[in-house]
Amino acid sequence: MKNLFCRWMALVALLVGAGSCCAPQATDPIYLDANASIEERVEDALSRLTIEEKVALCHAQSKFSIKGVPRLGIPEVWMSDGPHGVRAEIEWDSWDYAGWGNDSCTAFPALTCLAATWNPAMSALFGKAVGEEARFRKKDVLLGPGVNIYRTPLNGRNFEYMGEDPKLASVMVAPYIEAAQQSGIATCVKHYALNNQETRRMRVNANLSERALREIYLPAFKAAVDAGAWSFMGSYNRYLGQHGCHNEVLVNRILKEEWGFDGAFISDWGGAHDTYEAAEYGLDIEMGTGSDGLTYSTKNHYDNYHLALPYLDALKRGEVSMEKLDDKARRVLRLIFRTVMSKDRPWGSFATEEHAAVAREVAREGIVLLKNDGILPLKPADKKRIAVIGENATRSMCKAGGSSELKPWREVSPLEAMVEAYGAEQVSYAMGYGSGPSSYGRVNPSPYDAEELKKEALEVAARADVVLFVGGLNKSHQQDCEDGDRQTYALPFGQEELIRELAAVNPNVVVVLISGNAVETQWSHLPRAIVQGWYGGSEAGHALVDVVSGAVNPSGKLPFSFYARLEDCGAHAFDASCYPGVDDECYYKEDILVGYRWLQAKGIKPAYPFGYGLSYTTFELGEPTTKRQSYGLKDRITVSVELTNSGAVAGKEVVQLYASKPESAVVRAPRELKTFEKVALQAGETKRVELSFAVEELAYWDETSHSWQIEKGDYDLYVGNSSEAASKLTITVR
Ligand code: BGC
């Protein structure tokens, strides 16, 4: 009787999140005791599971959930995209939206914008808010963030990632994970690994050196493990001929054994291909295989998953390892106890003004001012007549783009925000160009008469004092969108010609690029200012106008290089085997020289370099100094530099430190980002900035010993406010 009572109380305690009334008896299920450690609960629960129940934990029961163990009261696990907000509810058995009336979320800025803040505090704010939204929506796993490295500006999914530099992505991903998981939901870091293009994404095999893998493509994933990510998602593409979702080297050897990742490894939707490989090479949860549950004749389509009945059969026949099954079940149980059965879960909150404020803060801090001859800011008090031109001034950018698309409770467009800030009488609008409606996986022709649109725009522009052109890319197929790469580096939909003609009728043109990728900017001499505006989410318009009007001083820095020409990008400097691959084999011939590393090694000048961004004030950097010149292998190097805001308004500057090894046994990039610090300064204020990093970070991956090696000798350190940082000092590692 007492035992029954205790069980009942343990259940009550679990539900209310309090401890149980009395110590658990030997027969009590520890998995129900919220005060037991997660590992105790996992082992206890595991010991009670049948093989069938373990297998059931390893695959989907619906489009976005797995079953749990109903017999033991272990609940379902619910997942949702990710990474910029919580996606609208999807039907049980298809990709269609369920049509709920209560699932309109806050849309946060795209991850490129977050990376462009160069401010880990923004990442923490973002992660906390999106975690709260996921929790409120009763999601246990949020499918994001993504940290694949930006290898080519044509990659349709770059907007979901954090740029071209492994250090920047590593620093920015960690706070998102830590903060989001505070809500008792797991982040699911994706797409592990080498999902660097969407062209032939399901098949392409990435061939690259071990060094490039370790130095460029993996560090941000490692940082996510170190930040305590509770789940990871595999990539569609292949590496060493095996798919990312069941890959012996990437998943078993590196992620789980070497890095000690103890969370659940989840397939991308439809990314699992084989029972044996999935069983043996690290896949814990199979999601999204097949289509809509109606195409198979068995009672339950999910039974056909590689890790469902075929897995059970293979286990029973002894063809795959039982130990590995236990490992999978353990990881899924751990995920469950960390999330849906955690005693400490807050309630979360959803679609709140507080979250909209976070979205706005991140969005405006990520906006990058690329060019300004003084025309910006446009002060509302100056009462200028402003012609807003361009489809992206009104187009929803939360819709489309693939799985990261959102149904926001609010999405303020640039035009709405302009009217709000400057008054309807000051602002006129013309669309100027039209891209055509968006449709997943298809490029629809524009239904507009391009000449008519242009004519109208030129008339509107000619009557105004200033033209604010809001263009760029959008979320349609072959723009910034999953499952297809861009087909050209140039601005699409005739925008370049339009910019030229606008500049001919009005000398005061400001161009705002809304995109998650760099575009060709051969026209950059024409406008007086250029703003990289990103996809800003719910508060996109407000954030943009905060910067354009001067209410906020821009402080974003590019998280990737703006190449002058596509061929200037390492991935495009070779033949098609380097990008997009031939016969599904893609060779990363630029090797470790990705992004600015390539540009600097080859002496190519970008249109705008990595780490670059202007401000409405000016900053002066003093001479960097170190207390010591010589360092041991376990030391930290601290560089100190004075930063002065020498202009007239408060602002923030990102002080960046790059290192290089002029004399090395291996090829070295001329500069590699090692650390950075975002500093806020009042007008006239000076601060001493300390930039610190471990000597270990100077290591390169040695392909002979398959380990990190730190070369002794001299290193050059460069300090500045972009990757073209000029101030140099030399230190020695002994
Ligand atoms: C995408 C993932 C996404 C999943 C679920 C896949 O097509 O690649 O990023 O999380 O679908 O929507």
Side-chain angles (χ1 to χ4, degrees):
M1 186 62 202
K2 176 168 178 274
N3 201 15
L4 240 186
F5 175 71
C6 283
R7 279 178 193 223
W8 169 242
M9 285 311 287
L11 194 65
V12 171
L14 175 82
L15 292 174
V16 298
S20 77
C21 70
C22 43
Q25 304 294 300
T27 51
D28 278 345
I30 294 171
Y31 69 87
L32 280 182
D33 178 1
N35 288 320
S37 76
I38 291 207
E39 292 311 306
E40 283 174 312
R41 299 177 82 190
V42 167
E43 291 309 320
D44 177 53
L46 187 68
S47 71
R48 295 166 196 269
L49 299 190
T50 64
I51 299 186
E52 285 76 8
E53 285 166 339
K54 290 178 192 173
V55 168
L57 289 176
C58 300
H59 63 267
Q61 63 158 358
S62 78
K63 210 76 195 157
F64 280 90
S65 72
I66 63 166
K67 199 180 196 141
V69 190
R71 180 178 67 87
L72 297 177
I74 295 177
E76 296 170 336
V77 175
W78 279 86
M79 312 182 187
S80 171
D81 287 302
H84 308 137
V86 185
R87 193 176 182 184
E89 198 63 25
I90 293 197
E91 282 194 345
W92 181 268
D93 225 5
S94 85
W95 282 110
D96 293 340
Y97 285 107
W100 285 12
N102 57 357
D103 57 354
S104 298
C105 69
T106 306
F108 297 92
L111 292 191
T112 37
C113 177
L114 176 62
T117 68
W118 288 60
N119 187 350
M122 290 297 129
S123 225
L125 279 181
F126 189 132
K128 177 173 183 288
V130 76
E132 286 167 354
E133 298 240 335
R135 174 67 190 107
F136 188 90
R137 281 276 308 283
K138 300 198 180 347
K139 302 303 177 193
D140 307 304
V141 180
L142 180 70
L143 305 174
V147 285
N148 291 99
I149 289 294
Y150 185 116
R151 178 175 179 247
T152 155
L154 300 190
N155 178 11
R157 288 193 97 168
N158 279 337
F159 72 101
E160 294 182 66
Y161 301 143
M162 298 203 188
E164 74 185 25
D165 183 81
K167 182 72 196 178
L168 177 65
S170 299
V171 171
M172 294 303 290
V173 76
Y176 179 121
I177 293 167
E178 287 157 359
Q181 292 188 167
Q182 291 293 314
S183 281
I185 59 104
T187 53
C188 184
V189 180
K190 61 195 192 182
H191 303 90
Y192 184 75
L194 301 164
N195 172 218
N196 305 113
Q197 64 184 59
E198 291 296 288
T199 302
R200 308 274 302 152
R201 66 173 174 168
M202 293 291 189
R203 295 285 317 155
V204 69
N205 188 33
N207 297 272
L208 69 166
S209 70
E210 212 180 291
R211 229 189 123 194
L213 178 73
R214 296 295 188 145
E215 292 185 20
I216 304 294
Y217 295 98
L218 292 191
F221 288 105
K222 167 78 162 58
V225 173
D226 294 343
W230 289 334
S231 70
F232 257 53
M233 184 189 292
S235 62
Y236 284 136
N237 54 274
R238 294 178 299 145
Y239 171 65
L240 298 177
Q242 279 180 342
H243 283 279
C245 293
H246 29 73
N247 191 293
E248 190 175 11
V249 171
L250 289 176
V251 190
N252 281 354
R253 287 233 320 264
I254 299 180
L255 177 68
K256 292 184 173 177
E257 284 167 38
E258 194 184 313
W259 297 347
F261 171 68
D262 67 359
F265 189 75
I266 303 173
S267 78
D268 198 343
W269 270 236
H273 300 273
D274 179 83
T275 295
Y276 179 82
E277 290 200 5
E280 296 294 310
Y281 303 143
L283 182 61
D284 301 319
I285 302 178
E286 177 184 3
M287 298 298 297
T289 309
S291 53
D292 56 7
L294 303 173
T295 47
Y296 291 78
S297 54
T298 55
K299 207 169 92 201
N300 179 4
H301 156 76
Y302 299 93
D303 284 346
N304 292 312
Y305 274 34
H306 302 288
L307 286 187
L309 290 182
Y311 186 29
L312 194 59
D313 289 346
L315 282 160
K316 287 186 173 160
R317 285 198 301 267
E319 288 164 9
V320 290
S321 127
M322 269 308 170
E323 239 186 349
K324 290 227 162 88
L325 171 67
D326 278 351
D327 180 60
K328 293 179 202 300
R330 210 174 251 126
R331 288 167 182 275
V332 181
L333 288 169
R334 199 175 282 131
L335 177 72
I336 290 173
F337 290 124
R338 281 171 165 166
T339 59
V340 60
M341 285 184 83
S342 152
K343 67 166 177 167
D344 294 324
R345 294 183 113 193
W347 292 107
S349 52
F350 191 64
T352 61
E353 285 297 342
E354 193 191 342
H355 289 173
V358 169
R360 183 170 181 166
E361 197 175 344
V362 175
R364 63 195 189 185
E365 185 144 341
I367 289 171
V368 182
L369 183 62
L370 294 175
K371 171 182 176 177
N372 186 21
D373 72 353
I375 187 171
L376 292 181
L378 297 170
K379 297 273 180 208
D382 292 347
K383 292 273 170 218
K384 295 253 172 33
R385 290 166 304 160
I386 304 173
V388 177
I389 311 283
E391 189 183 52
N392 286 353
T394 59
R395 188 183 176 94
S396 167
M397 291 298 181
C398 296
K399 270 198 210 124
S403 58
S404 64
E405 92 164 341
L406 296 172
K407 181 171 101 181
W409 67 282
R410 171 195 294 165
E411 183 178 2
V412 180
S413 73
L415 182 61
E416 280 172 277
M418 285 298 289
V419 169
E420 202 181 292
Y422 294 84
E425 59 295 344
Q426 300 304 119
V427 177
S428 51
Y429 175 70
M431 197 165 146
Y433 71 90
S435 68
S438 160
S439 152
Y440 191 50
R442 278 191 52 195
V443 184
N444 292 319
S446 166
Y448 305 102
D449 178 336
E451 283 309 309
E452 270 303 305
L453 287 183
K454 192 160 70 181
K455 192 165 152 260
E456 182 205 7
L458 293 175
E459 281 166 16
V460 172
R463 287 197 299 269
D465 299 315
V466 179
V467 175
L468 187 77
F469 176 76
V470 188
L473 307 176
N474 62 36
K475 296 285 195 66
S476 298
H477 184 56
Q478 295 180 342
Q479 299 288 314
D480 283 324
C481 182
E482 184 179 335
D483 204 15
D485 283 345
R486 294 166 64 199
Q487 302 299 294
T488 148
Y489 185 45
L491 274 176
F493 322 125
Q495 292 177 76
E496 183 168 337
E497 190 190 315
L498 180 59
I499 292 171
R500 288 184 193 283
E501 296 195 26
L502 287 170
V505 299
N506 191 318
N508 301 318
V509 176
V510 174
V511 169
V512 177
L513 296 172
I514 304 294
S515 74
N517 255 317
V519 297
E520 192 182 72
T521 50
Q522 272 179 6
W523 41 265
S524 64
H525 56 289
L526 296 168
R528 294 185 55 193
I530 306 175
V531 176
Q532 176 57 43
W534 313 115
Y535 298 114
S538 283
E539 292 285 324
H542 283 149
L544 179 66
V545 174
D546 285 343
V547 168
V548 165
S549 67
V552 165
N553 192 351
S555 66
K557 299 278 178 179
L558 289 178
F560 49 74
S561 311
F562 255 69
Y563 302 100
R565 305 166 317 151
L566 186 61
E567 313 84 271
D568 295 346
C569 165
H572 296 274
F574 302 89
D575 56 0
S577 69
C578 186
Y579 173 87
V582 173
D583 295 335
D584 293 333
E585 296 296 330
C586 186
Y587 293 87
Y588 289 25
K589 295 183 177 171
E590 73 283 19
D591 199 41
I592 59 156
L593 298 176
V594 174
Y596 65 93
R597 290 163 163 82
W598 175 267
L599 291 169
Q600 294 181 347
K602 304 293 165 192
I604 303 169
K605 201 142 176 52
Y608 304 101
F610 171 82
Y612 165 89
L614 301 171
S615 165
Y616 295 148
T617 188
T618 46
F619 295 99
E620 314 287 338
L621 263 182
E623 276 305 305
T625 55
T626 44
K627 284 214 179 86
R628 288 159 52 193
Q629 208 271 327
S630 160
Y631 296 85
L633 298 180
K634 295 279 163 219
D635 287 345
R636 282 187 80 77
I637 302 171
T638 303
V639 173
S640 171
V641 64
E642 260 189 9
L643 177 71
T644 301
N645 179 346
S646 50
V649 285
K652 292 182 187 170
E653 179 62 304
V654 181
V655 186
Q656 306 163 35
L657 188 149
Y658 296 82
S660 79
K661 178 100 185 66
E663 277 170 30
S664 171
V666 292
V667 172
R668 292 273 189 163
R671 280 163 208 202
E672 292 173 1
L673 182 67
K674 292 299 164 198
T675 183
F676 57 89
E677 192 72 42
K678 192 158 198 175
V679 188
L681 289 178
Q682 295 301 322
E685 192 183 354
T686 297
K687 274 187 190 162
R688 184 152 279 283
V689 185
E690 308 262 285
L691 298 157
S692 172
F693 68 101
V695 167
E696 278 171 8
E697 298 214 27
L698 296 170
Y700 72 94
W701 182 264
D702 177 38
E703 302 203 331
T704 317
S705 63
H706 308 290
S707 63
W708 294 102
Q709 295 294 329
I710 309 170
E711 279 184 296
K712 298 194 172 156
D714 288 353
Y715 288 81
D716 291 336
L717 307 182
Y718 297 88
V719 177
N721 61 2
S722 85
S723 52
E724 293 184 347
S727 296
K728 182 172 119 177
L729 56 89
T730 302
I731 56 113
T732 308
V733 172
R734 48 164 209 275

